């Protein structure tokens, strides 16, 4: 877990700004679910054998004996909210986006935290592949607008519940002859869910995985046609993509489309910047009816790392053109009030209100390279006046405080 410090705030600001603008354009509504949920929300949906539920969930027990978990992801809570608030009865699809902390007890390493942030976009109530394409387009364009280059989207189809049964059996038959040579994780996955073996990054396992049966040979006509239409949309949109027949993703709720977005140059060495897919069965798993849905989420810490690597342009702190120097108790009191006046008129002024000596305040004004310095001493405060010093010419003038805002506007314009 880590602190987010002021030096990174321009990056966070840029990410938030881009996410909210994109959401507004495509008409997604902001949803914020609690950080705590019941374990059942994730256990049933992500799968008891998924890495996340098996090893990474943080459990919280209250003194009264209630048990909760810190949410590891945002999709299941959004579907929980959809069912809880009766969104089935509002016009479909429901388009929702979110941004917030997620918690997974993973082994900390570069780009992998135990508390991290995601933003995500979900379209609930649409089975049309155009929604899958719209979300991939949004994810790719958001990352591009944040200043990240060389993006590539890996996609695959996992079929539906029925096609997957046949595929899982074919995988079992294939891996049965190789499993003794594979890592202990794969041996465990072989029993729990052979699909997960395809996720393994161990070299010795990867060689075996490369010859495993491919899901696209097992999916039904309906799933095949959905996938074909999605690819046609991506071609039309000129989204750079790569078909990866072994992309399975780590969560059980996926059906049909799955995708992950990478920086192409670092694809082999780095984890995905964003991941998503279709989860048509999740509504039913959580106690609703069959609700088609698709979405993606993006890890903000990973995005900010990439933004820094790509030297992305981020909002800069505005440079103040004015510095306010104050002296004595009365000067200080009036200064604070004056600062509020500047704020109302949108005039950006720098100050050192906690300092006492005029010398050190003038030094700060010099360092900031301001055009004007305002000096409000005890005498000026009593007379309701202020000194304006032009920092280039060194000329000073005393003017009544009620005329200050207009005078400053005039001088800054000049
Ligand atoms: P996910 O692939 O588990 O999918 O996470 C999405 C993104 O969150 C990852 O691509 C990565 O950028 C980031 N991420 C995941 N774990 C960590 C971590 N420990 N530290 C830093 N970043 C991390 C989901 O969460 C799904 N809910 C996505 C989705 C939305 N599917 C459909 N709709």
């Amino acid at each position: 877990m880590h602190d987010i410090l002021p030096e990174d705030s321009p990056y966070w600001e840029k990410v938030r700004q881009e996410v909210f603008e994109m959401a507004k354009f495509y008409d997604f509504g902001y949803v914020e679910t609690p950080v705590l949920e019941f374990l059942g929300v994730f256990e049933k949906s992500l799968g008891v054998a998924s890495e996340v539920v098996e090893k990474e969930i943080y459990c919280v027990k209250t003194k009264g004996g209630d048990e909760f978990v810190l949410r590891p992801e945002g999709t299941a809570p959004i579907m929980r909210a959809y069912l809880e608030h009766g969104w089935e009865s509002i016009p479909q699809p429901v388009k929702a986006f979110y941004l917030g902390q997620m918690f997974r007890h993973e082994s900390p390493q570069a780009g992998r935290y135990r508390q991290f942030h995601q933003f995500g976009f979900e379209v609930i109530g649409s089975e049309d592949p155009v929604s899958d394409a719209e979300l991939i387009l949004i994810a790719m364009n958001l990352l591009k607008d944040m200043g990240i280059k060389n993006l590539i989207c890996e996609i695959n189809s996992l079929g539906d519940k029925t096609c997957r049964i046949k595929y899982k059996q074919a995988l079992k038959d294939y891996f049965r002859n190789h499993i003794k040579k594979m890592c202990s994780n794969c041996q465990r996955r072989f029993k729990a869910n052979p699909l997960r073996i395809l996720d393994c990054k161990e070299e010795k396992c990867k060689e075996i995985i490369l010859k495993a049966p491919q899901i696209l040979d097992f999916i039904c006509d309906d799933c095949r046609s959905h996938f074909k239409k999605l690819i046609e949309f991506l071609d039309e949109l000129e989204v750079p993509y790569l078909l990866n027949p072994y992309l399975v993703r780590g969560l059980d709720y996926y059906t049909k489309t799955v995708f992950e977005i990478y920086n192409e140059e670092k694809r082999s060495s780095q984890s995905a910047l964003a991941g998503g897919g279709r989860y048509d069965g999740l509504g039913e798993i959580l106690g609703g009816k069959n609700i088609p849905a698709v979405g993606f989420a993006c890890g903000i810490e990973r995005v900010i790392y990439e933004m820094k690597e790509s030297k992305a342009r981020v909002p800069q702190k505005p440079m103040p053109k004015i510095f306010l120097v104050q002296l004595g108790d009365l000067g200080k009191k009036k200064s604070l009030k004056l600062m509020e006046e500047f704020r109302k008129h949108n005039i950006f002024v720098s100050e050192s209100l906690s300092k006492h000596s005029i010398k050190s305040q003038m030094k700060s004004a010099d360092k900031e390279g301001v055009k004007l310095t305002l000096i409000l001493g005890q005498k000026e405060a009593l007379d309701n006046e202020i000194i304006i010093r032009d920092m280039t010419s060194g000329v000073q003038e005393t003017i009544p405080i009620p005329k200050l805002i207009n005078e400053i506007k005039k001088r800054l314009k000049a």
Side-chain angles (χ1 to χ4, degrees):
M1 296 191 186
H2 61 113
D3 297 315
I4 297 168
L5 300 174
E7 61 254 33
D8 274 348
S9 82
Y11 293 93
W12 286 87
E13 191 182 329
K14 172 91 177 156
V15 170
R16 284 201 184 99
Q17 199 181 318
E18 296 291 349
V19 167
F20 276 80
E21 270 174 28
M22 186 65 90
K24 200 181 214 174
F25 183 82
Y26 281 101
D27 198 21
F28 281 72
Y30 182 66
V31 175
E32 206 168 305
T33 61
V35 169
L36 295 178
E37 292 274 355
F38 288 119
L39 176 62
V41 171
F42 302 105
E43 215 170 36
K44 287 189 258 170
S45 55
L46 313 190
V48 267
S50 67
E51 295 272 302
V52 175
V53 170
E54 202 177 47
K55 299 195 222 142
E56 298 168 0
I57 289 267
Y58 280 96
C59 297
V60 178
K61 197 169 178 181
T62 66
K63 285 189 177 163
D66 289 332
E67 283 185 59
F68 301 105
V69 296
L70 289 170
R71 62 176 180 203
E73 60 101 56
T75 309
I78 292 272
M79 184 56 91
R80 195 260 314 130
Y82 177 99
L83 298 170
E84 198 170 317
H85 300 288
W87 289 345
E88 285 145 283
S89 54
I90 62 175
Q92 305 290 302
V94 174
K95 295 164 102 180
F97 80 106
Y98 52 93
L99 191 152
Q101 291 97 329
M102 306 293 158
F103 303 84
R104 295 183 192 178
H105 192 269
E106 300 200 67
S107 314
Q109 49 186 281
R112 206 167 279 278
Y113 299 98
R114 289 180 171 175
Q115 175 181 318
F116 59 99
H117 294 73
Q118 281 184 344
F119 63 80
F121 284 66
E122 316 282 349
V123 175
I124 308 181
S126 161
E127 57 184 359
D128 198 311
V130 75
S131 300
D132 309 41
E134 181 186 60
L135 285 160
I136 292 177
L137 184 72
I138 289 176
M140 291 291 272
N141 281 344
L142 264 175
L143 292 170
K144 200 158 75 190
D145 293 349
M146 287 170 194
I148 302 174
K149 301 184 189 105
N150 305 315
L151 294 165
I152 184 90
C153 181
E154 283 195 8
I155 55 170
N156 191 22
S157 173
L158 293 181
D160 57 22
K161 263 194 297 196
T162 324
C163 349
R164 210 148 350 135
I165 294 173
K166 281 187 263 166
Y167 183 52
K168 273 189 185 169
Q169 190 53 52
L171 283 179
K172 273 215 142 165
D173 293 344
Y174 170 76
F175 285 120
R176 187 166 293 116
N177 300 325
H178 303 279
I179 200 67
K180 286 206 183 93
K181 291 173 266 166
M182 301 181 87
C183 72
S184 55
N185 263 340
C186 283
Q187 295 186 6
R188 196 173 40 78
R189 288 166 178 153
F190 178 75
K191 286 189 196 125
N193 183 355
L195 264 180
R196 291 272 140 68
I197 295 180
L198 303 179
D199 259 346
C200 187
K201 302 282 180 283
E202 295 261 339
E203 278 313 316
K204 63 176 180 187
C205 303
K206 270 184 3 196
E207 272 175 39
I208 298 168
I209 290 167
L210 274 179
K211 293 186 189 132
Q214 300 191 356
I215 179 97
L216 293 179
D217 294 327
F218 292 82
I219 61 178
C220 65
D221 289 347
D222 181 37
C223 293
R224 188 180 306 281
S225 147
H226 189 278
F227 195 50
K228 188 167 164 271
K229 283 186 195 148
L230 167 61
I231 286 171
E232 283 165 8
F233 280 122
L234 296 182
D235 286 334
E236 180 68 27
L237 295 165
E238 295 181 30
V239 168
Y241 68 85
L242 196 80
L243 299 178
N244 175 355
Y246 299 118
L247 178 67
V248 285
R249 313 240 325 114
L251 315 170
D252 263 9
Y253 55 55
Y254 290 114
T255 50
K256 297 184 179 157
T257 316
V258 281
F259 60 92
E260 279 182 350
I261 300 175
Y262 292 86
N263 174 339
E264 193 170 14
E265 286 167 2
K266 301 177 188 164
R267 198 159 55 89
S268 54
S269 60
Q270 211 182 47
S271 312
L273 293 168
R278 187 159 270 287
Y279 46 95
D280 294 347
L282 181 58
E284 211 172 358
I285 294 173
L286 292 180
K289 52 180 190 188
N290 212 353
I291 306 157
V294 55
F296 76 86
C298 187
I300 302 182
E301 282 79 359
R302 289 187 195 174
V303 167
I304 289 180
Y305 175 82
E306 277 300 307
M307 285 167 81
K308 288 181 181 169
E309 289 275 291
S310 311
K311 302 205 169 19
R313 282 165 66 113
V314 289
Q316 295 298 317
K317 205 172 138 193
M319 294 299 287
K321 295 202 171 79
I322 303 170
F323 194 97
L324 175 62
V325 170
Q326 42 68 40
L327 283 169
D329 287 348
L330 201 55
K332 191 169 285 204
K333 245 185 225 161
K334 283 218 165 189
S335 292
L336 205 50
K337 207 167 160 200
L338 207 52
M339 286 302 289
E340 269 304 287
E341 225 21 59
F342 291 133
R343 193 182 60 80
K344 278 187 208 148
H345 287 87
N346 215 8
I347 300 172
F348 191 50
V349 176
S350 197
E351 43 76 18
S352 271
L353 288 180
S354 58
K355 283 192 179 148
H356 304 299
S357 110
I358 186 160
K359 209 168 145 199
S360 71
Q361 291 184 71
M362 289 306 282
K363 228 173 164 178
S364 306
D366 243 0
K367 220 161 119 192
E368 292 199 16
V370 293
K371 191 173 154 145
L372 304 171
T373 298
L374 309 174
I375 304 163
L376 185 55
Q378 195 79 356
K379 178 179 178 310
E380 288 77 25
L382 276 170
D383 297 344
N384 204 24
E385 288 179 338
I386 194 160
I387 300 169
I388 303 187
R389 180 186 171 93
D390 185 306
M391 297 298 274
T392 325
S393 63
V395 175
Q396 292 195 173
E397 197 186 327
T398 305
I399 64 153
I401 287 184
K403 290 192 175 160
L404 180 63
I405 298 287
N406 276 344
E407 183 62 25
I408 283 182
K409 283 187 180 165
K410 210 161 69 192
R411 290 199 187 204
L412 289 183
K413 222 173 181 181

